[in-house]
Amino acid sequence: SQQGEEDPQALSIQEGENATMNCSYKTSINNLQWYRQNSGRGLVHLILIRSNEREKHSGRLRVTLDTSKKSSSLLITASRAADTASYFCATGPSNYQLIWGAGTKLIIKP
Amino acid sequence: NAGVTQTPKFQVLKTGQSMTLQCAQDMNHNSMYWYRQDPGMGLRLIYYSASEGTTDKGEVPNGYNVSRLNKREFSLRLESAAPSQTSVYFCASSAQGDTEAFFGQGTRLTVV
């Protein structure tokens, strides 16, 4: 089964609203990474949070990590049309053993 | 700065044909990876190269071979393509094994 599982599978919100998506995993991790994929394109790295970190920010993005619950969340504030994409979490002891979730498809409505 | 470049972008093969997917990075990264992405699923690691001169199997290596030609280039070969290998293939690289990965734009492969 998938190590990283995103929830929800799909999310549709109005432009300007905040979007929250979650990722759960099963085994111990070294870090957890979030990526964005625009339709038909390559993946773009958003944030890497290490297992000893609890929260990390990058611009309008905030990622939290709760290792006791084996879960992470990605918050996008003040969403824009350009945020429409699929978002993936990837976890594992190293990049050589990353397991990827199936992604959350985010649609920002104008 | 091109980042990670994959060729070709699209390919149609007949069952049993062979082909090589090319990947090159210009960021002086040590590690390189080949993934496949199937509809409704996350990426799955096919092979990786932790550093120049080494290659290792990932989660789904059967039916594939790789070559780390030098520090910049990492190719993926399908010796005898099967319809189950229809997928989008991504190459990626990272400075180390625990740092962010940079992805190419993908190769959409169809095996008929």
Side-chain angles (χ1 to χ4, degrees):
Chain A
S1 61
Q2 293 288 331
Q3 162 85 314
E5 295 185 3
E6 292 91 348
D7 170 59
Q9 291 185 335
L11 180 61
S12 181
I13 61 174
Q14 293 293 138
E15 192 169 15
E17 292 181 338
N18 295 343
T20 300
M21 51 205 86
N22 304 296
C23 171
S24 60
Y25 58 93
K26 294 182 171 64
T27 63
S28 62
I29 62 171
N30 182 45
N31 63 53
L32 186 145
Q33 304 180 44
W34 285 93
Y35 288 81
R36 183 187 74 230
Q37 183 180 35
N38 293 91
S39 180
R41 307 291 299 276
L43 286 86
V44 174
H45 182 266
L46 297 176
I47 287 184
L48 182 153
I49 185 165
R50 300 199 181 277
S51 59
N52 61 352
E53 297 176 306
R54 292 297 168 260
E55 189 171 309
K56 205 161 185 180
H57 296 253
S58 177
R60 294 183 297 112
L61 307 180
R62 183 178 80 121
V63 167
T64 61
L65 178 64
D66 187 334
T67 53
S68 66
K69 295 181 179 178
K70 291 187 167 57
S71 68
S72 173
S73 67
L74 170 66
L75 168 67
I76 304 174
T77 60
S79 62
R80 305 168 181 169
D83 295 329
T84 293
S86 291
Y87 292 81
F88 295 88
C89 70
T91 63
S94 76
N95 281 4
Y96 313 134
Q97 297 159 290
L98 280 183
I99 302 294
W100 296 71
T104 292
K105 189 170 186 176
L106 176 65
I107 297 173
I108 308 299
K109 296 179 288 186
Chain B
N1 191 345
V4 179
T5 303
Q6 288 181 237
T7 56
K9 288 186 170 51
F10 301 93
Q11 184 71 47
V12 179
L13 290 178
K14 293 182 179 179
T15 297
Q17 286 186 318
S18 63
M19 79 161 294
T20 299
L21 281 65
Q22 307 286 355
C23 176
Q25 52 91 10
D26 61 4
M27 296 172 281
N28 200 36
H29 283 170
N30 289 309
S31 302
M32 298 186 73
Y33 315 83
W34 276 106
Y35 286 96
R36 60 178 288 172
Q37 184 179 35
D38 299 302
M41 298 182 69
L43 297 178
R44 290 184 293 170
L45 184 62
I46 304 170
Y47 270 94
Y48 66 92
S49 171
S51 60
E52 185 179 359
T54 70
T55 61
D56 283 287
K57 296 178 181 179
E59 184 185 355
V60 289
N62 291 344
Y64 306 94
N65 285 301
V66 291
S67 295
R68 183 76 182 265
L69 304 170
N70 48 55
K71 192 170 187 179
R72 290 187 64 248
E73 298 172 285
F74 188 39
S75 63
L76 178 72
R77 183 160 178 84
L78 286 72
E79 291 291 351
S80 179
S84 61
Q85 294 178 304
T86 293
S87 189
V88 182
Y89 291 84
F90 288 100
C91 177
S93 70
S94 66
Q96 305 296 339
D98 62 350
T99 57
E100 63 182 298
F102 294 80
F103 283 79
Q105 290 301 298
T107 296
R108 190 172 295 272
L109 175 67
T110 302
V111 183
V112 297

